[in-house]
Amino acid sequence: FFFFASFLGARMTARDSPSTLGWLDGLPTTVQFSVLSCGVFLFFGIHNFLQEAMMRFDGFEFGVMLGFMEVFGVAVCSFLEREYIAKERGRVAPLSAYPLLTGCLLASSALSNIALNYINFPTKVVFRSCKLIPTMLVASILHNRVFSVVEYLCAAAICAGLIFFAAADWQLTPSFHPIGLVFVTLSVCADAVLPNAQERLFRLGSSRLEVTLFTNIFTLIVMTCSTMLSGDFMGLFRLAQQNHVLAMYMAIYTFIAYIAISIHMTIVKKFGGVAAVLVATGRKGMTLVLSFLFFPKAFSWFYVLGASLVLGGLLFSSLHRIKSKSKDQQDSSSRTKSNGEDAMQSKV
């Protein structure tokens, strides 16, 4: 069932199979969007529920293995999609291009999940949503880029939201330790570098599947060696042998993320970035609400205020960026058209 579900999710992103989503294409546009949005909420909801549920099992102190399972699932599913759906062969990018991607994915995946040993799940979700901050810092320092007032205000709102959320976690979570915030912040920084490094390979002619597969394969090799040496791999294996419910959660969790990501990418392709941003923001809000409903924890209005500032800042920033990009494209098209008309008049 798990391999079939992953294979089905992979088919949703196949570029060269027009009939893959034929059943969906025949539905009205609003129904298509509703079905895909429900899929995002459902599969990401299951993924996040399982992640927090596994961390609550007695004896589960292997946060890094959550990252290992995700990387393993993506490696397997991207191989299936590339081999049997897209039917890609070979490799365009040189192997020397992958150490940076491997390091970024390793830091992003491992550190964010290790952080769960020290902070609660909602805090991790909120901090992981904030790639905007390191992205703006890198662009300002390295490229001297100046951002709009709206983007600076959104960044300020996000920073304030993070402070409120961290303060609430500090007061209410017995297992809280500041090192958890350090880990999740470093993972966000690595996550901000990763897309830029991937984009460089895309410009070389590498496909999304190629970059996804090889990045996750190399990361899986490193994580397998490191978790075997640390004892986390065998520790989780022995714990899963003793607890069959945990083993079932692990099996589902390993492949569910790839399905969710595939559906999200389908929304981007069919309905554009604005729709995807709205769905993603709603999904993150749902994750926070479900975390408090299914796994009761001490409550503070600082959580509500912090989450509102962070998610609101991210939403407005994303919509502003999409609007600015669309305006630039329209201006460029208008200039091209104007230049063409001027050339025609000069010939006349």
Side-chain angles (χ1 to χ4, degrees):
F1 167 79
F2 305 130
F3 278 97
F4 173 76
S6 306
F7 188 67
L8 181 63
R11 289 180 68 86
M12 290 184 137
T13 58
R15 300 172 303 172
D16 58 344
S17 180
S19 62
T20 296
L21 286 175
W23 65 273
L24 188 62
D25 292 332
L27 299 175
T29 302
T30 53
V31 177
Q32 291 183 38
F33 182 73
S34 299
V35 170
L36 292 171
S37 298
C38 289
V40 168
F41 277 75
L42 174 64
F43 288 108
F44 271 115
I46 294 173
H47 171 270
N48 294 330
F49 171 85
L50 292 175
Q51 190 174 76
E52 188 165 6
M54 286 188 288
M55 288 298 301
R56 288 173 173 262
F57 274 92
D58 291 335
F60 193 102
E61 299 176 352
F62 313 104
V64 68
M65 292 303 296
L66 295 173
F68 175 89
M69 287 184 278
E70 287 180 342
V71 170
F72 176 79
V74 172
V76 170
C77 294
S78 58
F79 170 79
L80 291 174
E81 181 181 355
R82 189 169 188 259
E83 184 74 16
Y84 298 106
I85 305 299
K87 299 187 184 301
E88 289 185 12
R89 299 291 186 274
R91 174 175 44 81
V92 175
L95 291 177
S96 59
Y98 284 99
L100 175 61
L101 273 71
T102 300
C104 289
L105 181 59
L106 181 65
S108 172
S109 180
L111 292 176
S112 66
N113 288 299
I114 292 174
L116 286 174
N117 294 324
Y118 306 99
I119 58 178
N120 69 20
F121 185 78
T123 303
K124 178 212 166 185
V125 170
V126 169
F127 270 76
R128 284 284 294 169
S129 301
C130 300
K131 286 189 287 185
L132 174 67
I133 304 299
T135 301
M136 290 179 66
L137 288 174
V138 170
S140 299
I141 295 172
L142 297 183
H143 305 296
N144 296 320
R145 181 179 171 185
V146 179
F147 294 90
S148 67
V149 176
V150 173
E151 289 173 305
Y152 282 120
L153 289 175
C154 289
I158 292 170
C159 290
L162 292 177
I163 292 171
F164 280 119
F165 227 92
D169 208 11
W170 192 309
Q171 294 176 353
L172 301 177
T173 304
S175 61
F176 177 86
H177 194 286
I179 192 64
L181 298 181
V182 174
F183 283 151
V184 76
T185 300
L186 290 175
S187 78
V188 170
C189 293
D191 215 20
V193 174
L194 185 60
N196 296 313
Q198 290 175 329
E199 187 176 350
R200 185 168 62 88
L201 298 193
F202 294 148
R203 288 198 297 266
L204 294 176
S206 298
S207 69
R208 174 189 61 83
L209 283 173
E210 177 191 329
V211 174
T212 301
L213 174 62
F214 285 99
T215 302
N216 281 273
I217 285 291
F218 294 137
T219 304
L220 182 62
I221 293 172
V222 175
M223 292 189 80
T224 300
C225 295
S226 62
T227 54
M228 288 289 286
L229 291 173
S230 67
D232 289 306
F233 186 96
M234 294 307 300
L236 181 59
F237 180 76
R238 285 191 290 268
L239 186 63
Q241 283 183 314
Q242 299 168 6
N243 193 320
H244 296 298
V245 175
L246 175 60
M248 181 183 67
Y249 283 6
M250 289 168 55
I252 300 173
Y253 177 83
T254 297
F255 298 104
I256 204 77
Y258 193 79
I259 304 172
I261 293 169
S262 297
I263 300 174
H264 174 77
M265 292 173 63
T266 304
I267 291 179
V268 174
K269 182 177 180 181
K270 282 180 165 289
F271 300 100
V274 175
V277 166
L278 293 173
V279 172
T281 304
R283 188 258 302 173
K284 292 170 185 175
M286 177 203 70
T287 297
L288 295 176
V289 171
L290 291 181
S291 176
F292 281 96
L293 288 178
F294 285 107
F295 305 99
K297 49 182 72 69
F299 178 78
S300 168
W301 284 104
F302 276 9
Y303 282 135
V304 178
L305 179 59
S308 300
L309 287 170
V310 170
L311 296 181
L314 290 172
L315 177 62
F316 279 107
S317 174
S318 300
L319 294 178
H320 175 75
R321 189 163 57 248
I322 292 170
K323 182 179 179 181
S324 299
K325 185 177 179 180
S326 176
K327 183 179 179 181
D328 291 341
Q329 289 175 344
Q330 290 177 356
D331 291 343
S332 177
S333 176
S334 298
R335 284 194 299 269
T336 302
K337 183 178 180 180
S338 177
N339 291 337
E341 291 175 351
D342 291 342
M344 290 294 291
Q345 290 175 357
S346 64
K347 288 182 181 180
V348 173

